[in-house]
Each structure stands twice: as structure tokens, then as C-alpha cells.
Amino acid sequence: MAEMGSKGVTAGKIASNVQKKLTRAQEKVLQKLGKADETKDEQFEQCVQNFNKQLTEGTRLQKDLRTYLASVKAMHEASKKLNECLQEVYEPDWPGRDEANKIAENNDLLWLDYHQKLVDQALLTMDTYLGQFPDIKSRIAKRGRKLVDYDSARHHYESLQTAKKKDEVKIAKAEEELVKAQKVFEEMNVDLQEELPSLWNSRVGFYVNTFQSIAGLEENFHKEMSKLNQNLNDVLVSLEKQHGSNTFTVKAQPSDNAPAKGNSPSPPPHGSPAATPEIRVNHEPEPPAAGAALPKSPSQPTEASEAAGGTQPAAGAQEPVETAAGEAASSSLPAVVVETFSATVNGTVEASGRAGRLDLPPGFMFKVQAQHDYTATDTDELQLKAGDVVLVIPFQNPEEQDEGWLMGVKESDWNQHMELEKCRGVFPENFTERVQ
């Protein structure tokens, strides 16, 4: 009989719960259709919005913190393997082997300690902070259901009060149910009205403590790691001093490799050209060798006019240095000097300097001569034939210069058109040889 009574009570509770669900569903439908008014609390709704925002932010922070810890663990493993590699290559007879092994052990312990403290002071605190949200979220949902029950009981009582034929028994029962529903709702509502704002305000202190802990732990970790790295550096410096003659030196690669600009040009057909000469950026001629005669400065108007006309005596016929210096000192002309310099092209000497260099393109640097034919593969490239002389000029935008490429204009095009925009282009440096 007791068992049947228990079953009966259970069945009664199930029926009561089903009836409540049906009543709530009916009430919500009436409210959505506008046939029944709904009790609203804007202040509480704002608290619920803040709660959901706080829960979302906390969940994201927890996820990112776990990712950070996973990264710390991965870095620990990588650092451990690197130190193991150092221990393997460190010869037993090398000085400082024991110190290096001890540093590796301390490095491993430091990573373990850092990870564990992050878990204790940040992750566990984060888990505790988020642990209070599920219960509050459940109570908020329950409060919503009790509010619907209260509205349903209120509407039922009001409908009996306004009925033409009043039934006092039903009215009394409805009033009793209304008072009960209102009491249950208000108890839950008051508790949440106090807890939600307090929980919302607590987020500031939690964020501050969490990130302060992470920042402090990371700062101490890097300080200790810096000491270990300095100790390891001292050990390696000592090793280098005792084996200094065997120090590995990184050497630069040869500079006469094929250039790279988009599609690299094909190498010259007859072997690699000579190494690229040094480019003198200051645009000044190289100083003469010791014992060679300096170019003679003009001391008379006739000599200046001859230099401007293109006549130049041979280098061997120039006067000694002392004579040129004396004439320059005794001359009453201004300090503007027109100098001429010679360049060797295919074993012959050419007069390359002209008065004031007015016939050279702006920014002229030096001349090169094509040693091999080059077929242009783009509109901004020069078409070269073996023997062509190119006047090299700087790039308008140095960042556009690719390694192994120069900007210039063919001397024949420049002398004919004197238009830099139409004649200039880029060309591979290793197809040419500097002549001036």
C-alpha cells in the first residue's frame, strides 16, 4: 500500500507539472498575441543582459588562458629539446660542460614552475570565478517561469472578478493561488536583484587580479631565464676563447651570381663576365695613383676653351704635379675648375669628361659597356648589343632596385634624343663591364 501511495504521489506530481507547463505555454501565447499583459522589470532585464555579457567575456578569457598555457607548455618542450641537443654536441673534454648541463636542468625546472604557477594563480581562479554562473543562470530561468505563473494566476483571478456570475469559492481559491505565486516570485526576484549587480561589479577586481598575476609571473620568469641565458653565454664565451682558432666565420657569397628581377635573365653565352666593379656613389673620380700626373687645371682662357672644345693632351704629356699646383696657386681665375678624365674602352683611351658634364644625364654615376647581347623581356628593360655603352643613373625610388640590376640609358640614345624618360631602362649588371 505504501508503494502504491508513493506511486500515486509521484503520478500526482507529474500531472501537476504537466498542468503547469500547459498553463505557462498558454499564458505566453496570450501575451505574444497581446491578449494578456506581461509584468516587466526593465532594471532586472538590464541586469540579465550584463550577466550574459559577463559570462561571455569570462568564457572567452578562460579559453584564451588555456591556449596561453598550452603555448607555454609547447615552448617548454621546444626549449628542452634544444638544450638536449646542446648537451649532445658538447664534447666531454670541452670546458664548461658541467655548467652547461646544470643550466639546462635549471631551465627545465624554471619552465615547470612557471607553468604550475600560472595554473594555480590564474587558471584555477578563473574556473572558480566561472563556477558561480551556472547556478545563477538556472535561477534566472526559474524566476522567468515563476513570473509567468504569477501573471497567469493574476489573469485568472481578474477574469473571475469581472465575470457576470461570480463564484465566491473559485474567487477565493484563485486569490489564494495568486498570493502564493506572487510570494514565490518575489522571493526569487529579490535575491537576484541583489546578486546580479554585485556579480557585475566584481568583474573589475577579478580582471585586475588575474592579469596582474599573469604579468607578475611572466616578469619573474623572464628575469630568471635571462640570468640562465647570461650564464650560458659566459660558458660559451669561455669555450670560444680556448678554441678561438677554430671559430666558424660566416663568409659573404660571391657577388657575381645571376641577378634576380622577376624572371632572371639567361646567363651570358660565353662564360661568366668579370666580377662587378665597385660603384662609387659619391660621383667623384678615383684619385690618381702615386707618381701619376694630376690633370692640369686651366690657367688661361685659351686653355679653358680648348678643354671645352674637347681637345685633351695625352695623359703622358701632362706636366708634373708641382707645375700644375704652382700654376693653380698663381692663377687669378675663380676657383671653378673644369677637369677632364679619361676612360679605357677596348684598350683605347677616350675623352669622357666634357665641360661641366652638361651633356650627361642627371645623376650620372658611371659608364658600362655591354659584353654580351641582352634581349629585353619587359617594357622597362634596355635592349643591349655587345659593345653598347650605357650611362648608369640612380633609381628614382631605391626600393624598386632589384639585386643585380642597374638603371641607365644607352649613350647613343641619349646623344640623339636627350630625353631621359623615353630612353632609360633597367638591365642586368653581369652582362656589362664598367669602363668609367
Side-chain angles (χ1 to χ4, degrees):
M1 293 292 293
E3 184 177 347
M4 291 180 62
S6 177
K7 290 183 178 180
V9 171
T10 303
K13 286 185 177 181
I14 293 175
S16 176
N17 291 335
V18 171
Q19 183 62 38
K20 285 183 179 180
K21 291 181 179 180
L22 291 175
T23 303
R24 290 168 184 165
Q26 183 180 5
E27 181 67 21
K28 288 182 178 179
V29 170
L30 292 175
Q31 290 176 354
K32 290 182 178 180
L33 294 176
K35 295 182 179 181
D37 61 325
E38 180 182 1
T39 302
K40 290 188 176 181
D41 187 344
E42 294 183 357
Q43 182 179 359
F44 183 81
E45 291 177 357
Q46 182 63 45
C47 290
V48 173
Q49 291 180 6
N50 293 339
F51 172 83
N52 292 330
K53 179 181 178 182
Q54 188 176 0
L55 176 59
T56 301
E57 292 175 349
T59 303
R60 177 185 174 184
L61 178 57
Q62 183 188 46
K63 179 182 177 181
D64 292 342
L65 184 56
R66 291 183 182 276
T67 303
Y68 179 79
L69 285 169
S71 300
V72 170
K73 193 171 184 179
M75 278 296 300
H76 176 204
E77 292 298 325
S79 177
K80 186 176 181 180
K81 290 183 179 297
L82 191 61
N83 286 323
E84 289 176 354
C85 179
L86 177 61
Q87 291 175 317
E88 291 178 2
V89 302
Y90 213 106
E91 298 292 342
D93 58 337
W94 289 356
R97 177 179 173 83
D98 294 338
E99 290 84 348
N101 292 341
K102 185 64 176 177
I103 292 172
E105 293 178 6
N106 292 336
N107 185 290
D108 184 57
L109 293 175
L110 184 60
W111 276 107
L112 288 173
D113 181 69
Y114 178 49
H115 184 273
Q116 187 60 45
K117 286 182 178 179
L118 283 173
V119 172
D120 295 338
Q121 300 182 28
L123 184 60
L124 294 181
T125 305
M126 187 79 227
D127 293 342
T128 303
Y129 170 75
L130 289 179
Q132 57 188 330
F133 283 83
D135 177 65
I136 297 178
K137 186 175 182 180
S138 175
R139 290 164 56 195
I140 291 174
K142 187 175 182 180
R143 182 243 183 217
R145 294 193 297 270
K146 295 304 178 182
L147 179 59
V148 175
D149 292 342
Y150 167 72
D151 285 340
S152 178
R154 178 169 57 85
H155 293 150
H156 180 59
Y157 175 74
E158 290 174 353
S159 64
L160 291 177
Q161 287 277 34
T162 57
K164 294 182 180 180
K165 187 178 179 181
K166 296 184 179 180
D167 190 337
E168 297 299 333
V169 176
K170 290 184 178 180
I171 292 176
K173 186 177 180 181
E175 183 178 7
E176 182 181 352
E177 292 178 352
L178 175 60
V179 171
K180 183 179 178 181
Q182 183 178 4
K183 182 180 179 181
V184 172
F185 167 73
E186 287 182 349
E187 287 178 354
M188 298 192 67
N189 186 57
V190 170
D191 291 341
L192 289 173
Q193 289 278 15
E194 294 177 355
E195 290 184 33
L196 289 178
S198 177
L199 179 63
W200 173 250
N201 294 331
S202 69
R203 76 194 192 284
V204 178
F206 171 76
Y207 294 155
V208 170
N209 292 334
T210 300
F211 283 98
Q212 278 184 343
S213 298
I214 295 174
L217 291 173
E218 188 169 351
E219 180 183 9
N220 293 332
F221 168 77
H222 287 300
K223 283 183 179 179
E224 297 299 323
M225 185 60 71
S226 177
K227 294 178 182 178
L228 291 179
N229 290 335
Q230 183 60 48
N231 294 338
L232 180 59
N233 181 70
D234 294 341
V235 171
L236 296 177
V237 168
S238 177
L239 175 63
E240 181 185 16
K241 288 181 179 179
Q242 297 198 22
H243 296 267
S245 60
N246 298 327
T247 303
F248 176 73
T249 304
V250 179
K251 297 182 179 180
Q253 296 296 324
S255 60
D256 57 349
N257 292 335
K261 173 187 177 293
N263 296 326
S264 300
S266 302
H270 304 294
S272 301
T276 304
E278 179 185 1
I279 299 176
R280 296 182 60 84
V281 182
N282 56 12
H283 302 170
E284 293 296 330
E286 297 182 0
L294 292 174
K296 181 179 178 181
S297 300
S299 59
Q300 297 179 2
T302 55
E303 292 180 2
S305 62
E306 289 177 359
T311 60
Q312 172 67 25
Q318 293 179 354
E319 296 182 9
V321 177
E322 293 80 0
T323 305
E327 289 181 0
S330 60
S331 175
S332 60
L333 292 177
V336 177
V337 178
V338 179
E339 297 180 352
T340 59
F341 304 90
S342 60
T344 302
V345 180
N346 293 334
T348 62
V349 178
E350 287 187 350
S352 59
R354 299 191 175 108
R357 296 191 175 185
L358 299 177
D359 57 342
L360 295 175
F364 168 75
M365 299 167 62
F366 54 89
K367 289 184 181 181
V368 295
Q369 186 177 36
Q371 303 299 306
H372 311 277
D373 294 345
Y374 175 70
T375 303
T377 59
D378 204 346
T379 55
D380 64 339
E381 296 180 4
L382 291 181
Q383 184 89 7
L384 299 180
K385 295 290 185 181
D388 285 347
V389 176
V390 183
L391 308 177
V392 179
I393 58 175
F395 279 76
Q396 290 180 318
N397 184 2
E399 296 181 357
E400 297 179 356
Q401 183 173 6
D402 295 313
E403 183 180 358
W405 290 79
L406 297 175
M407 172 70 74
V409 55
K410 289 198 291 187
E411 188 176 40
S412 58
D413 294 341
W414 173 253
N415 292 335
Q416 181 179 358
H417 303 289
M418 302 288 285
E419 294 182 6
L420 191 60
E421 293 297 330
K422 295 182 178 180
C423 300
R424 68 180 172 186
V426 296
F427 60 93
E429 183 179 5
N430 66 342
F431 274 65
T432 63
E433 182 178 344
R434 181 172 176 176
V435 296
Q436 177 182 328

